Amino acid sequence: MTDSARGFGLSLPEYPWEAMAPHRATAQQHPDGVVDLSIGTPVDPTPLVVQDALAAAANAPGYPTTHGTRALRESIAAWFGRRRGVPGLDPEHIMPTVGSKELVAWLPLLLGLRAGDVVVRPTVAYPTYDIGAQIAGAEHVAADDLDELDDDVRARVRLVWVNSPGNPTGIVRCPESLKKLVDQARAIGAVVASDECYAELGWGDWDVEHGGSAVPSVLDPAVSGGDLSLLLSAYSLSKQSNLAGYRAAFLAGDPALMKDLVNSRKHAGMIVPAPVQAAMKAALDDDAHVAAQKALYRARREQLLPALESFGLTVEHSEAGLYLWSRPHNGADTWSTVGRFADLGIVVGPGVFYGEAGAGYVRVSLTGSDERISAAVTRLSGV
């Protein structure tokens, strides 16, 4: 076929959530209204401290910088030291991004990956890791440990995604587990990119406010050995600060990689708007609203978890994040369980969206209002 006859477009798979349309339609027929616990979009108000910062920066006639303001990058560095156990991070090695999803989708291309290269992602994972590999023309494989790969595949690995806390499973990788993966990747010259956007939402042993340990970052010296080479940490303010509508996130890590990524993004016009950068700084400088929002999610989780169990589900992992990763006791397939929830007017996420290992599971989000969570609990407990 000649180039002129080849057609246009990336020919990516259909966006998976389109398959939920009939189940959404069923749920919307419930007389008490739908309870949407599927995608996990925040429903609580954006904190006023952030709204005020956005409004104060609204007069922004000039172009913002791709690298971000020095003030924002200093706040990010301070946040890493205060909240993530990563002291002394150089603001030069930090950059805001237009949400974390675009970073996940475009990072393989921006790192120069191409046909024949391999991207590794967790066995149960957010589908955008695979999409990013496809955009770059690279291959993607699922593995939680590089020792799971055969020699040919392992030799071609250029990028390893780690997601801790994991979406959808809520799995948290301890420092020793992260260090093992980092050592494996460095031995073959691969980059480790850690998606850490649920890090402030640990429960149980990872609930800092209740005496637990902080979720570790890949940049933590206990993981990195004090060397940031080949390491990148991505974080989003969507979850901790209800800023999903702002598209507010950032990346930090390896000085050489960050310098090249900033330059490439300058060429591509990937820039966070100036008012959003000001809002990000306000959010990162204020820990009080993060604790308050987490308390809301903690209370919702404590209501929803036993209700799911009474509905005949086992909740696995889910030690951090905004989701309860669940499977039915009777071994029913994912879509049957999705249908059972829809019949009660509740929309949940199908586990099959997250890879073959997600078959049989559903992902139930904590991102409903108090009233909608209570409605879901009543419906689930009454069956």
Side-chain angles (χ1 to χ4, degrees):
M1 180 184 294
T2 64
D3 286 347
S4 60
R6 193 175 68 237
F8 299 95
L10 295 176
S11 299
L12 297 175
E14 183 178 12
Y15 193 61
W17 288 96
E18 302 299 329
M20 284 293 295
H23 297 286
R24 289 187 182 279
T26 297
Q28 287 165 355
Q29 295 173 17
H30 194 279
D32 186 38
V34 67
V35 180
D36 192 342
L37 305 179
S38 60
I39 293 180
T41 187
V43 298
D44 299 305
T46 300
L48 287 177
V49 66
V50 178
Q51 294 188 46
D52 290 345
L54 183 79
N59 182 21
Y63 290 111
T65 64
T66 299
H67 198 184
T69 65
R70 179 75 186 187
L72 170 59
R73 289 184 279 115
E74 288 177 348
S75 286
I76 295 171
W79 175 85
F80 264 109
R82 187 175 72 251
R83 305 293 295 183
R84 305 305 316 285
V86 185
L89 195 60
D90 189 335
E92 286 299 305
H93 309 148
I94 297 169
M95 168 181 59
T97 64
V98 189
S100 59
K101 184 171 183 175
E102 67 91 349
L103 183 278
V104 170
W106 293 106
L107 184 62
L109 183 68
L110 294 175
L111 288 175
L113 271 63
R114 56 182 65 90
D117 292 335
V118 171
V119 175
V120 178
R121 53 85 166 166
T123 52
V124 184
Y126 183 50
T128 308
Y129 303 127
D130 288 350
I131 295 298
Q134 290 177 253
I135 289 173
E139 299 173 30
H140 52 83
V141 299
D144 296 315
D145 186 308
L146 298 191
D147 287 343
E148 299 170 16
L149 306 176
D150 64 41
D151 291 344
D152 172 66
V153 172
R154 183 170 174 149
R156 294 185 290 115
V157 172
R158 297 281 287 161
L159 173 62
V160 179
W161 279 108
V162 60
N163 181 207
S164 176
N167 171 17
T169 62
I171 291 173
V172 176
R173 297 186 69 145
C174 66
E176 294 77 17
S177 172
L178 286 173
K179 185 178 186 304
K180 178 183 177 184
L181 189 65
V182 166
D183 290 345
Q184 289 174 332
R186 282 176 166 166
I188 57 174
V191 173
V192 176
S194 182
D195 181 351
E196 302 175 354
C197 69
Y198 297 94
E200 289 276 17
L201 294 166
W203 314 116
D205 291 343
W206 301 106
D207 192 340
V208 174
E209 288 79 6
H210 285 200
S213 301
V215 171
S217 170
V218 76
L219 304 186
D220 186 315
V223 176
S224 69
D227 175 12
L228 301 187
S229 62
L230 296 177
L231 303 182
L232 296 171
S233 168
Y235 191 76
S236 167
L237 300 183
S238 295
K239 302 343 187 241
Q240 71 156 51
S241 302
N242 300 331
L243 291 190
Y246 284 50
R247 311 313 301 133
F250 51 84
L251 185 71
D254 182 314
L257 292 177
M258 289 301 302
K259 181 178 180 180
D260 188 75
L261 288 168
V262 170
N263 183 59
S264 296
R265 291 173 68 90
K266 285 179 181 179
H267 284 292
M270 293 176 168
I271 309 173
V272 175
V276 174
Q277 292 192 36
M280 290 174 66
K281 174 175 167 42
L284 289 160
D285 289 346
D286 179 71
D287 295 336
H289 79 273
V290 181
Q293 183 60 48
K294 183 176 178 180
L296 291 176
Y297 286 134
R298 186 186 293 107
R300 292 166 186 167
R301 183 179 186 273
E302 289 172 354
Q303 293 181 67
L304 197 53
L305 197 156
L308 293 174
E309 292 173 339
S310 72
F311 189 57
L313 273 66
T314 297
V315 176
E316 296 184 2
H317 303 300
S318 307
E319 53 258 37
L322 289 180
Y323 312 107
L324 295 172
W325 184 237
S326 311
R327 60 179 175 82
H329 297 164
N330 64 7
D333 66 86
T334 288
W335 289 109
S336 295
T337 306
V338 169
R340 286 183 64 209
F341 276 94
D343 289 341
L344 295 179
I346 303 170
V347 185
V348 297
V352 293
F353 286 179
Y354 303 94
E356 293 180 6
Y361 290 83
V362 293
R363 190 191 76 170
V364 185
S365 173
L366 307 179
T367 55
S369 67
D370 289 345
E371 184 275 331
R372 287 289 83 187
I373 292 290
S374 293
V377 168
T378 298
R379 297 176 197 180
L380 292 167
S381 301
V383 175

